[in-house]
Amino acid sequence: MQYKNVWAALALVLSCSWNFGYSQDKILFRDAYPLPDIINSSAEEIQPVFDPDSSHLYFVRAFHEENLGYKENDADQDIWVATKDANGQWSSVKNVKTLNNKENNGVFGLSSDANTIYLLNAYLKKRKQLEKGVAIADKKGKDDWEHKPDALKIENFNLKGDHYSFHISETEDILIMSYEGKNSLGMEDLYVSKKDDKGNWHEPLHLGNTINSAGYEISPFLTPNADTLYFATDGRDGFGDADIYYSVRLDDTWQNWTEPQNLGTVINSASFDAYFIIHGKDVYFCSNREGNNQIYHTHMYIPPPPPILFNILSSTDPTTVNGNEGTITLNNLEPSFSYDKIVFFLGNDSTIIEDVVTNSKGEYTVENLPEGTYDKFRAYFDDFIATCPDEATLEGPEEVVEVDPPKQTIEDMVLFDLNSSYLNGDAKIKLNKLIPKIKEFGSYEILIEAHTDKRASDSYNKWLSERRLARVKDYLVSKGLSASSISGKYYGEEDPIHDCEDCEEDKHSENRRAEIKVTKK
């Protein structure tokens, strides 16, 4: 939505308008990285599903030697689960054998209390086989499930073909389905089935031609408020094999949607990208951009509001303030932004006003302006400086705004596992984010200082910290940084962050570190 800004008190018109902040036509993401190797294996991993407290991640793993159908037939998908430890780290992964057999198995949802799991295909009671459809199972014990899941009966639902996928809403009364069915435009299309007050699932309804295409639409995900649908398709002009899109539902018919929007190059690649989910503040999806399907992790974020340059126009003269009586109210500016200063231009000079009062209506009052005739003003908020769209007509002299130079130093730190010098997944993620910032310096010096916790002997800790120093340096060099610009020291257990031998594990963990200091030359 655009906001046009006016000088209410002085009946002035501004020549700039802008699309403020975050809107549904622009979703941005941080860089995406694969989940740790304990989850992403040399096999293939797809379809992540979290339990409500994020302590368990269920997913589908294919072509793995521990799968029950491995090497016996083409059906080789098993349900696996990864578990976090008390420190929030992924600590174990296991095959959920009570839910798997030698057919293709899958999971696509959990109940809000994590006591019911939603499964791909219906389990036959008398034969160790599956029939196409949907099933549910209840939890049995702390981390296990009953052996005989119950089929979910859906009115007039008949699957054909070998490709289908599902998503259950957070309220467990909306089922989004991908399959080749009635009214399909090409291959798999998206449908919705809703559960009534009596617990009956109604006949699937085609989501319409705005969502569906002549290609396939798969791996649906519905936001908790049931108004935005994410899905993957190869039926649009994307970046590669299959791309992930989203669309907003416009009414309760479930057939009127906004035109699907591609999620961009952080999420989509020239390869297969699908199985997008949002869990809390995190985003997960699957991609085979590195050769085999893996689960990736990123974050959505709202970009900072665009900086704005306002120009004062009048039907007669520019704004004139006499003496110290000048009080100007900026009306209809976006109230969610905190304008920390405003610069007014008086001819070729500028006057900085930092005392800006805001009320709940979004009115920004500037008091005690020095007398003079002002051509334009520039609003600042946080650290972002005002600019104006190229097509805007600027009135009055152009002002060159000095931007603070980038920081000349960067400091960061990576942590190591106990008795290990190898970089774990979190350390690699940190370094991968740091490396582009270092390269922006052009010329730089890097100092790495490696440490251990205070357990084990001093000689062992010195050796271990020396190895940690080498691992970090080798990784930075492998990513294109200059080896001659990197120096280092290793301290063993000297200079700990937490000076204790019987520390709690989180404090030991912080001592097992390599500190990285980058200076621009």
Side-chain angles (χ1 to χ4, degrees), residues 17-136:
S17 62
W18 194 269
N19 188 339
F20 280 91
Y22 177 74
S23 64
Q24 281 286 42
D25 61 352
K26 188 67 172 178
I27 297 180
L28 300 179
F29 299 90
R30 303 293 183 189
D31 290 341
Y33 298 98
L35 289 184
D37 291 346
I38 191 172
I39 295 173
N40 286 320
S41 68
S42 58
E44 297 204 354
E45 288 75 30
I46 60 171
Q47 203 160 338
V49 174
F50 281 87
D51 65 1
D53 68 1
S54 306
S55 62
H56 294 82
L57 170 62
Y58 291 85
F59 59 96
V60 174
R61 177 173 277 174
F63 313 118
H64 192 276
E65 60 184 7
E66 294 183 33
N67 283 1
L68 300 188
Y70 183 66
K71 290 185 177 180
E72 291 195 16
N73 50 46
D74 292 334
D76 182 27
Q77 290 184 180
D78 274 14
I79 300 168
W80 289 65
V81 62
T83 304
K84 284 184 177 179
D85 60 22
N87 296 318
Q89 302 298 314
W90 296 113
S91 59
S92 65
V93 174
K94 69 175 184 178
N95 185 304
V96 187
K97 293 184 178 179
T98 54
L99 297 178
N100 292 318
N101 55 28
K102 295 182 180 180
E103 305 291 334
N104 278 327
N105 306 104
V107 55
F108 64 86
L110 287 164
S111 62
S112 58
D113 60 6
N115 288 326
T116 301
I117 193 167
Y118 289 83
L119 303 164
L120 188 72
N121 292 319
Y123 292 63
L124 299 181
K125 304 295 184 183
K126 296 182 179 180
R127 292 175 291 156
K128 293 183 179 180
Q129 294 180 350
L130 300 176
E131 62 180 5
K132 296 174 182 178
V134 179
I136 58 174

Side-chain angles (χ1 to χ4, degrees), residues 118-177:
Y118 289 83
L119 303 164
L120 188 72
N121 292 319
Y123 292 63
L124 299 181
K125 304 295 184 183
K126 296 182 179 180
R127 292 175 291 156
K128 293 183 179 180
Q129 294 180 350
L130 300 176
E131 62 180 5
K132 296 174 182 178
V134 179
I136 58 174
D138 292 328
K139 182 162 282 188
K140 182 181 179 182
K142 183 179 179 181
D143 288 318
D144 209 350
W145 302 91
E146 61 184 359
H147 289 263
K148 296 181 178 180
D150 294 317
L152 202 65
K153 296 181 180 180
I154 302 170
E155 180 185 3
N156 294 331
F157 175 51
N158 297 300
L159 275 174
K160 63 178 181 179
D162 295 325
H163 304 287
Y164 38 90
S165 54
F166 305 91
H167 171 75
I168 187 73
S169 68
E170 191 169 281
T171 52
E172 299 179 68
D173 58 357
I174 300 170
L175 191 62
I176 306 295
M177 317 159 78

Side-chain angles (χ1 to χ4, degrees), residues 285-426:
F285 65 97
C286 300
S287 176
N288 64 359
R289 63 191 63 184
E290 298 296 331
N292 60 316
N293 273 307
Q294 293 189 322
I295 302 173
Y296 286 74
H297 173 221
T298 183
H299 297 273
M300 278 186 184
Y301 77 100
I302 299 175
I308 312 161
L309 172 62
F310 299 99
N311 296 293
I312 303 172
L313 300 177
S314 173
S315 59
T316 55
D317 299 313
T319 304
T320 300
V321 176
N322 296 317
N324 290 326
E325 299 177 357
T327 298
I328 295 178
T329 298
L330 313 182
N331 192 28
N332 292 338
L333 298 185
E334 175 56 46
S336 64
F337 301 150
S338 176
Y339 291 85
D340 49 14
K341 68 178 178 181
I342 296 180
V343 177
F344 289 86
F345 295 95
L346 178 64
N348 289 320
D349 299 321
S350 61
T351 298
I352 298 177
I353 304 298
E354 298 189 8
D355 185 16
V356 181
V357 181
T358 308
N359 66 25
S360 60
K361 297 179 181 179
E363 295 177 348
Y364 296 78
T365 301
V366 183
E367 299 178 346
N368 298 325
L369 268 173
E371 67 179 48
T373 301
Y374 294 89
D375 300 296
K376 58 179 178 286
F377 73 94
R378 190 185 297 268
Y380 289 68
F381 31 86
D382 298 330
D383 294 325
F384 298 94
I385 299 175
T387 59
C388 189
D390 294 337
E391 62 271 16
T393 301
L394 302 181
E395 300 294 326
E398 192 68 52
E399 178 72 14
V400 177
V401 179
E402 293 184 2
V403 181
D404 292 334
K407 291 182 179 180
Q408 302 299 299
T409 61
I410 302 174
E411 295 186 8
D412 210 336
M413 179 172 67
V414 296
L415 303 181
F416 292 85
D417 296 330
L418 178 63
N419 290 334
S420 175
S421 65
Y422 289 95
L423 296 172
N424 57 34
D426 289 339

